[in-house]
Amino acid sequence: MNRFVYLPGVVTLELDTEKCNGCRMCTIVCPHAVFEIADRKAVIRNRDLCMECGACAKNCPEGAITVKSGVGCAAGIINGILQNTEPSCDCSTGGSCC
Amino acid sequence: MNTVKDFITGEVQTGTGVVPVVSTTWSRRDRLETLKVRWSVGRMKYRILPGLYAVGTPDRSSRVFVTANFKLTFDHLRRALAGLDAWILVLDTKGINVWCAAGKGTFSTKEVVRRIRIHHLDKVVDHRKIILPQLSATGVAAHEVKRMTGFTVIYGPVKASDIKDFLESGLKATDDMRRVTFPLVERLKLIPVDIFYGKYYMLLVPVAFLLLSGFKPGGYSTDLVLNPGWKSIVNLYAGYLTGCVLAPALLPWLPFRRFSWKGLTTGWFVAILLAFAGMLGTSATEMISWFLMIGALSSFMAMNFTGSSTFTSLSGVKKEMKTALPVQITMASLGLAGWILTRFIVL
Ligand code: SF4
Ligand code: SF4
């Protein structure tokens, strides 16, 4: 079992198989192996592993993938609530993210 | 801009000018700086000048690696390229690492295209391939870079240390090289940053507890400020540190998916130990108050670690916080109220 799975069933990732040309780019850029190729089309293999980074959507040449991307970071969300903006984190620490 | 450049060891001539050659080993100073950054000392100083650099003696057929101008990132890349002849194109990511810069939009399609043009990459090399770290894919659209510059973006491995294997296998990353994992060492490295999250509060709040410790039913005794006042300091720090050290370290082995629950688990575990050690006071009210406060603190700090973790989604964290934050605030307030009450009334 993968111990690094976060909450199930919340992710905003969507794939439009109609548009997919099977270029494999999404399988290359995804850091969590969410996609695989079957019958020359991308399929979502494990949606709950997705961390909504947006790399797949950004690099899909056919625009077949959509995801509401952002950093899953509590401090960032609190920042957002306090400043009444989208979640944003202070990444200037550099060493880590947010 | 504060830049560091003592890693430059020479220069090479290209079709377009002189390019500095950089060392592929770390000096003592490089190591020291790495440590300082981890512990957030003097945080913004570690950027290097964006531009084209060389390792070894690259020529027109050598590989081009693109990276961020955060010094730690650059250091890892140049060390990974030891023994090779290659070009390094350093983007201006405002001194931020690849992953964060890509998320923030400074490691972007636009910046990649801009740097290729500024440094006339098409005149430096004959081929049309650039290697980017995989984690920059969040900010860069490979097909757009290709359309605008003619350069094909190849996403390399997540970790710089896999670059040699990646090159040897003909620019193919194995599945493992593409996965972001989150092993113990990686989690431990990120802990220092979280410890400093509470900076000022973690100095002010204990002082407030010390002062309040002096109150006793019917008066104030300065003797009490230090004893048992010191115990409240230990308890507060215990709650804080279990949340930002113990919970992240034990992350995969703790039950529950929610970080707030994980933090509550470690917090209460430590609270039980403290109770046996006689640190939580004598009355039931005082003990319960400490359980509430330590639990809330640890839970909140553990939840904060979602920012450092590599697998939590925004939707997930939002969902978790919606219920966790109000509970944490309630617990902390009740605990604080209960504890203050025991200063004034015998319960
Ligand atoms: S990147 Fe887009 S087009 Fe290419 S395989 Fe994935 S979904 Fe299909
Ligand atoms: S958003 Fe990121 S984690 Fe989710 S599927 Fe796309 S690339 Fe993978």
Side-chain angles (χ1 to χ4, degrees):
Chain A
M1 178 197 141
N2 186 333
R3 287 180 170 276
F4 296 109
V5 187
Y6 197 42
L7 310 189
V10 292
V11 165
T12 54
L13 180 72
E14 295 299 338
L15 168 69
D16 181 349
T17 322
E18 289 291 297
K19 290 186 187 164
C20 173
N21 68 11
C23 73
R24 313 194 85 92
M25 203 58 180
C26 50
T27 66
I28 290 174
V29 296
C30 178
H32 290 291
V34 170
F35 293 97
E36 70 186 354
I37 302 286
D39 278 337
R40 290 201 233 128
K41 291 270 188 188
V43 287
I44 296 177
R45 177 167 77 172
N46 197 341
R47 147 180 261 109
D48 287 339
L49 286 182
C50 172
M51 67 182 297
E52 299 183 326
C53 71
C56 52
K58 184 108 190 166
N59 280 277
C60 173
E62 305 298 329
I65 304 170
T66 53
V67 59
K68 188 174 181 323
S69 63
V71 184
C73 163
I77 295 173
I78 294 177
N79 266 349
I81 295 171
L82 294 179
Q83 291 161 11
N84 202 9
T85 57
E86 285 285 295
S88 79
C89 47
D90 173 20
C91 282
S92 54
T93 20
S96 82
C97 193
C98 329
Chain B
M1 175 156 43
N2 198 332
T3 52
V4 195
K5 35 184 169 310
D6 57 357
F7 45 76
I8 295 175
T9 57
E11 34 182 67
V12 287
Q13 193 71 39
T14 70
T16 58
V18 175
V19 173
V21 177
V22 297
S23 161
T24 55
T25 52
W26 288 13
S27 64
R28 259 183 60 181
R29 176 166 167 191
D30 292 329
R31 279 172 221 285
L32 187 70
E33 282 170 353
T34 305
L35 268 180
K36 284 210 257 174
V37 172
R38 292 258 172 263
W39 287 91
S40 359
V41 185
R43 36 208 238 160
M44 284 309 285
K45 288 187 199 129
Y46 302 104
R47 49 175 79 182
I48 60 158
L49 209 61
L52 191 62
Y53 293 84
V55 288
T57 47
D59 58 24
R60 306 185 63 86
S61 64
S62 301
R63 304 259 180 233
V64 181
F65 293 86
V66 180
T67 193
N69 76 328
F70 176 49
K71 184 164 181 293
L72 255 59
T73 309
F74 179 71
D75 282 353
H76 278 100
L77 178 61
R78 66 189 169 92
R79 189 171 64 173
L81 297 179
L84 298 174
D85 301 316
W87 302 104
I88 302 180
L89 184 62
V90 178
L91 306 183
D92 184 5
T93 62
K94 315 285 176 224
I96 295 173
N97 70 38
V98 173
W99 174 246
C100 296
K104 287 205 148 190
T106 49
F107 200 131
S108 60
T109 308
K110 211 171 125 197
E111 174 64 8
V112 172
V113 170
R114 193 171 82 99
R115 287 285 154 193
I116 290 175
R117 290 186 181 149
I118 294 180
H119 302 289
H120 303 287
L121 200 60
D122 56 340
K123 299 201 179 71
V124 176
V125 291
D126 293 328
H127 63 80
R128 290 292 174 263
K129 278 182 194 159
I130 50 174
I131 301 171
L132 270 64
Q134 188 194 320
L135 292 185
S136 69
T138 299
V140 180
H143 53 281
E144 284 177 22
V145 173
K146 168 99 183 172
R147 184 171 55 80
M148 288 189 256
T149 64
F151 277 88
T152 302
V153 170
I154 297 168
Y155 288 110
V158 168
K159 289 198 297 275
S161 53
D162 284 331
I163 284 178
K164 285 232 170 100
D165 290 339
F166 172 75
L167 294 178
E168 273 161 26
S169 59
L171 302 186
K172 293 242 163 2
T174 61
D175 282 355
D176 278 347
M177 291 183 205
R178 296 242 171 266
R179 297 299 86 85
V180 169
T181 52
F182 205 31
L184 185 62
V185 271
E186 288 303 315
R187 299 201 300 277
L188 295 181
K189 274 193 214 160
L190 297 176
I191 287 171
V193 176
D194 272 349
I195 292 183
F196 289 104
Y197 175 85
K199 286 185 243 198
Y200 310 112
Y201 293 110
M202 280 320 283
L203 290 175
L204 290 178
V205 174
V207 171
F209 269 76
L210 274 186
L211 295 177
L212 285 167
S213 295
F215 285 103
K216 59 180 182 184
Y220 192 86
S221 155
T222 40
D223 292 346
L224 297 176
V225 169
L226 289 181
N227 194 10
W230 67 276
K231 291 185 178 176
S232 57
I233 298 199
V234 172
N235 295 342
L236 285 171
Y237 270 97
Y240 185 74
L241 292 176
T242 33
C244 60
V245 179
L246 199 59
L250 300 179
L251 202 65
W253 301 290
L254 290 169
F256 311 115
R257 289 190 173 186
R258 288 171 195 243
F259 283 41
S260 48
W261 279 107
K262 289 175 189 277
L264 191 64
T265 314
T266 54
W268 276 353
F269 172 74
V270 169
I272 290 171
L273 297 182
L274 288 169
F276 277 114
M279 298 293 289
L280 304 190
T282 42
S283 72
T285 316
E286 194 172 358
M287 277 198 197
I288 293 171
S289 302
W290 273 120
F291 265 84
L292 290 172
M293 285 189 283
I294 294 172
L297 205 52
S298 177
S299 174
F300 180 78
M301 287 314 297
M303 194 173 75
N304 238 352
F305 196 67
T306 51
S308 300
S309 83
T310 52
F311 62 96
T312 48
S313 60
L314 178 61
S315 304
V317 179
K318 272 186 175 164
K319 182 176 172 185
E320 161 158 10
M321 287 180 68
K322 217 180 218 166
T323 47
L325 203 56
V327 173
Q328 287 157 353
I329 293 174
T330 311
M331 279 173 62
S333 318
L334 283 176
L336 185 64
W339 184 78
I340 293 178
L341 210 60
T342 57
R343 302 299 96 196
F344 296 99
I345 307 167
V346 188
L347 287 165

